[in-house]
Amino acid sequence: MTMAQTPFIQGHRGFRGLYPENTLLAFEQALKAGVQVLEMDVCISADGQVVVSHEPYMNSQYSTKPDGKPVEKSEEKNFNLYQMIYAEIKKFDTGKRGNSQFPEQIAAEAHKPLLSEVLALGEAYRKKYLRDIYYNIEIKSVEAEYGISQPKTVEEFSEKVWSIIRYFVKPSFLILQSFDFNVLKYWNKAMVEGRFPSEIQLSALVSRKSPENTIKNLGFTPAIYSPNYQSLSPEYIVFCHKNGMKVVPWTVNDAESIERLKEIGVDAVITDYPNRVPHYLNPVKK
């Protein structure tokens, strides 16, 4: 499969360093800043909607209940997105408290959007500015949570996600990533069988697994090897490129590290702060 070269910077959860993560505001501001790859996470609601959210529950760090009270750490799992219809999910605010882990992040009213809304935003931007926009969509799946905070099978989860993507995005602009190798195996099988387009780039998310073991565990060579940037070595990059894989480490937040990774040959980086390396962005000329 021929892999198209995508831009170097991927906006993690939109633009988490400055805006509430995985919200329409964050994705819109990323696009305005010149980010051409929007990275996001998806979960499933009780009524089968594909929701953009990093956790399948309300995170106490920044979520506010409909009554205006903060979500407490002890009650996070009570707000299981897979047990809530989207109309309920939307009533929770995920931006107005800010996020103490990101002191530069603005506090702004926001909520968890649908994947369809994020893709519609990106595609409208593409048409308006004649700009290539890519999407790196992570299926948030954990084997121990099958049937608890997500669908019982990766097949069901994957098909729901694909049913939304297919109506908005050309497959050559899609990266599908996951830490759950069962998800990637399902997508690869569907691509081999011709049920999903072969242009989709599958990305294996790993913490410390070597690229060699990644291929071994998957049973196929993914388009992208996506490790924690701190576990990445120049030898890994050489191995990946020899085996036809791109290297896209996560989540790199200081300019010096981004430049160092560029120098040793990574193909892209995922970052909360695209603004820290503006020379890699492609903002619209006003």
Side-chain angles (χ1 to χ4, degrees):
M1 180 177 73
T2 301
M3 296 182 291
Q5 184 60 43
T6 51
F8 184 62
I9 294 296
Q10 299 191 16
H12 187 231
R13 306 186 200 179
F15 198 156
R16 182 168 64 158
L18 301 189
Y19 303 95
E21 69 175 64
N22 279 325
T23 63
L24 291 176
L25 173 62
F27 295 116
E28 181 180 20
Q29 292 300 322
L31 291 169
K32 286 182 177 179
V35 173
Q36 289 182 255
V37 187
L38 300 179
E39 193 272 353
M40 67 199 77
D41 315 272
V42 292
C43 299
I44 305 294
S45 66
D47 51 344
Q49 305 237 46
V50 183
V51 183
V52 177
S53 176
H54 183 259
E55 299 87 13
Y57 55 83
M58 293 295 171
N59 191 316
S60 61
Q61 287 183 329
Y62 52 79
S63 300
T64 304
K65 291 180 283 190
D67 64 5
K69 296 178 181 177
V71 171
E72 301 294 338
K73 182 70 177 176
S74 61
E75 59 185 353
E76 284 181 335
K77 299 301 175 67
N78 295 340
F79 302 114
N80 178 344
L81 304 190
Y82 191 54
Q83 305 299 329
M84 301 167 67
I85 63 170
Y86 182 66
E88 294 175 299
I89 293 170
K90 193 174 179 180
K91 291 177 182 177
F92 284 71
D93 184 274
T94 56
K96 68 182 181 182
R97 287 170 53 202
N99 187 329
S100 59
Q101 287 192 322
F102 297 90
E104 294 177 48
Q105 187 186 106
I106 68 163
E109 290 190 3
H111 62 269
K112 296 181 185 293
L114 294 172
L115 176 61
S116 57
E117 295 177 294
V118 177
L119 299 182
L121 172 72
E123 291 306 287
Y125 198 89
R126 176 206 297 275
K127 290 172 185 173
K128 182 176 181 179
Y129 295 104
L130 302 178
R131 178 70 49 96
D132 285 347
I133 304 297
Y134 297 80
Y135 306 91
N136 186 359
I137 299 173
E138 178 181 350
I139 289 185
K140 296 302 294 187
S141 177
V142 179
E143 202 163 344
E145 290 292 312
Y146 291 3
I148 300 172
S149 64
Q150 65 182 78
K152 290 181 180 179
T153 66
V154 296
E155 291 84 353
E156 181 186 352
F157 200 157
S158 298
E159 294 291 345
K160 285 185 183 300
V161 173
W162 175 238
S163 71
I164 301 301
I165 295 171
R166 65 183 302 206
Y167 287 112
F168 288 92
V169 181
K170 292 180 179 178
S172 56
F173 291 93
L174 173 65
I175 300 164
L176 192 288
Q177 64 177 0
S178 190
F179 281 100
D180 186 348
F181 281 15
N182 291 329
V183 169
L184 299 178
K185 288 175 183 177
Y186 179 76
W187 280 72
N188 183 65
K189 184 172 184 286
M191 289 162 63
V192 170
E193 293 173 352
R195 292 185 292 110
F196 290 180
S198 61
E199 298 95 331
I200 298 169
Q201 297 184 60
L202 297 182
S203 177
L205 285 167
V206 299
S207 291
R208 299 201 172 275
K209 194 186 297 286
S210 71
E212 189 172 8
N213 283 333
T214 297
I215 294 171
K216 184 178 179 180
N217 294 160
L218 278 173
F220 69 92
T221 302
I224 299 169
Y225 172 70
S226 190
N228 180 325
Y229 84 98
Q230 293 170 317
S231 70
L232 185 60
S233 70
E235 291 75 23
Y236 280 3
I237 296 171
V238 170
F239 177 90
C240 287
H241 289 165
K242 280 185 177 179
N243 285 275
M245 287 186 290
K246 292 181 184 177
V247 181
V248 183
W250 53 270
T251 299
V252 199
N253 283 338
D254 66 280
E256 185 178 338
S257 293
I258 292 173
E259 296 294 353
R260 179 182 61 79
L261 289 165
K262 177 74 169 178
E263 287 174 8
I264 64 174
V266 302
D267 299 280
V269 297
I270 298 171
T271 180
D272 291 314
Y273 295 95
N275 57 304
R276 292 180 177 175
V277 282
H279 51 291
Y280 289 126
L281 302 180
N282 188 15
V284 171
K285 300 289 190 294
K286 300 295 183 183

